[in-house]
């Protein structure tokens, strides 16, 4: 039992320590580490055990640059849509510093936020079988397993969906990487050695997330 609690403590620490890391040193990711990360993905659950995921490891600099450009374009269009529909203003409504807000809006709508794929030593391009209904959930589980393993190994990673939202970008990715018909590109996981430690992003408390028996009846009264 004690040993189980020890494992649970280690697991919660890895889960809590995980951060989206978007800046990496030049140090390569070792083959040993890469294999453990991919093994974590392989062990993920999937509906009907379909295992619809496939992975393309991209290290080549020219290809990484193209991934960065496609991701930057996708992110820019997505955030521009958020800007014009005022969703972005809503998201940052608590930020009072107008100059800071303007700079954030500019950075987001420019797409620069997701262009860092170009500088990640490794990009794991997550693809999957289109005919599998549970593909988004299955690949989501595999990706989270990879992110946690990356954290356990002391590396950093970021889940990037920006280049996979727009069907035109997906076509670009498929051409670039030779992804066959019947498969789609779901997301990209950038991996590398973090340049610095990152503070955690805020999370909602459990008392705002969990209901008891019926919607709107808090399971936890106090903020946890
Ligand atoms: C489905 C999904 C898609 C994401 N896509 C992007 C992305 O395209 N670009 C990016 O920079 N971060 C992306 N992220 C990372 C989130 O921005 C990040 O998880 C969130 O801000 C919380 O920060 P944390 O991961 O450090 O806790 C994505 C995360 C998820 C789960």
């Amino acid at each position: 039992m004690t040993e189980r609690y020890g494992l649970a403590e280690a697991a919660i620490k890895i889960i809590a320590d995980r951060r989206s890391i978007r800046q990496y040193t030049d140090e390569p990711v070792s083959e040993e580490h890469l294999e453990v990360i991919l093994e974590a993905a392989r062990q993920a659950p999937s509906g009907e055990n379909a295992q619809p995921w496939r992975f393309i490891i991209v290290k080549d600099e020219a290809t990484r640059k193209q991934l960065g450009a496609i991701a930057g374009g996708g992110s820019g269009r997505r955030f521009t849509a958020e800007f014009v529909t005022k969703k972005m203003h809503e998201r940052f409504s608590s930020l009072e510093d107008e100059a800071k807000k303007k700079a954030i809006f500019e950075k987001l709508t420019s797409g620069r936020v997701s262009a860092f794929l170009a500088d990640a030593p490794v990009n794991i391009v997550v693809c999957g079988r289109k005919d599998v209904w549970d593909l988004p959930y299955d690949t989501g589980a595999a990706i989270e397993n990879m992110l946690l393993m990356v954290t356990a190994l002391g590396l950093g990673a970021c889940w990037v969906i920006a280049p996979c939202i727009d069907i035109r970008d997906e076509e670009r990715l498929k051409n670039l990487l030779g992804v066959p018909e019947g498969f789609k590109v779901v997301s990209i996981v950038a991996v590398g050695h973090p340049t610095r430690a990152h503070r955690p992003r805020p999370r909602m408390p459990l008392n705002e997330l969990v209901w008891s028996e019926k919607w709107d009846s808090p399971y936890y009264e106090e903020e946890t």
Side-chain angles (χ1 to χ4, degrees):
M1 201 63 182
T2 326
E3 194 192 328
R4 280 272 142 206
Y5 277 119
L7 282 176
E9 246 174 58
I12 197 73
K13 178 163 170 46
I14 292 164
I15 292 167
D17 282 354
R18 187 208 53 75
R19 304 270 179 281
S20 289
I21 304 295
R22 300 177 176 87
Q23 284 170 320
Y24 316 93
T25 67
D26 292 336
E27 193 179 340
V29 175
S30 74
E31 284 309 312
E32 241 182 310
H33 281 171
L34 194 54
E35 194 174 334
V36 190
I37 294 164
L38 292 163
E39 177 59 17
R42 194 173 75 94
Q43 294 296 344
S46 57
E48 299 175 28
N49 200 22
Q51 304 167 65
W53 42 64
R54 302 292 182 273
F55 307 96
I56 304 173
I57 308 300
V58 175
K59 297 181 191 172
D60 175 70
E61 198 181 342
T63 313
R64 286 191 283 130
K65 282 212 169 96
Q66 294 195 60
L67 292 183
I70 297 170
S75 223
R77 288 194 298 280
R78 174 182 173 140
F79 287 125
T80 300
E82 282 193 16
F83 180 81
V84 296
T85 57
K86 301 274 183 215
K87 217 175 148 197
M88 191 176 283
H89 302 69
E90 219 172 274
R91 187 173 145 199
F92 291 95
S93 56
S94 60
L95 181 62
E96 282 170 11
D97 184 335
E98 286 303 322
K100 204 169 174 188
K101 201 185 273 189
K102 198 169 167 232
I104 293 174
F105 286 4
E106 198 280 319
K107 189 176 176 194
L108 290 175
T109 52
S110 75
R112 288 202 306 279
V113 275
S114 295
F116 63 89
L117 292 183
D119 305 316
V122 178
N123 284 298
I124 303 174
V125 182
V126 182
C127 307
R129 281 173 46 193
K130 273 186 179 173
D131 63 330
V132 171
W133 285 352
D134 300 331
L135 183 67
Y137 310 105
D138 298 340
T139 47
I143 292 170
E144 179 66 2
N145 272 10
M146 290 199 279
L147 298 181
L148 295 177
M149 185 53 76
V150 160
T151 310
L153 293 167
L155 298 168
C158 187
W159 179 337
V160 181
I161 207 164
C164 310
I165 302 164
D166 185 326
I167 196 163
R168 293 165 297 183
D169 286 336
E170 209 207 322
E171 270 318 297
R172 288 186 188 108
L173 286 178
K174 287 177 83 169
N175 289 336
L176 178 68
L177 304 168
V179 178
E181 279 309 307
F183 285 84
K184 72 183 269 81
V185 183
V186 177
S187 280
I188 299 182
V189 179
V191 186
H193 292 261
T195 53
R196 60 182 173 88
H198 287 256
R199 272 182 292 146
R201 304 243 14 233
R203 292 294 192 264
M204 292 164 70
L206 282 182
N207 63 326
E208 287 180 26
L209 299 171
V210 188
W211 309 138
S212 170
E213 309 298 341
K214 281 199 169 150
W215 192 267
D216 244 358
S217 152
Y219 193 83
Y220 298 100
E221 293 298 335
E222 303 289 318
E223 189 166 312
T224 44

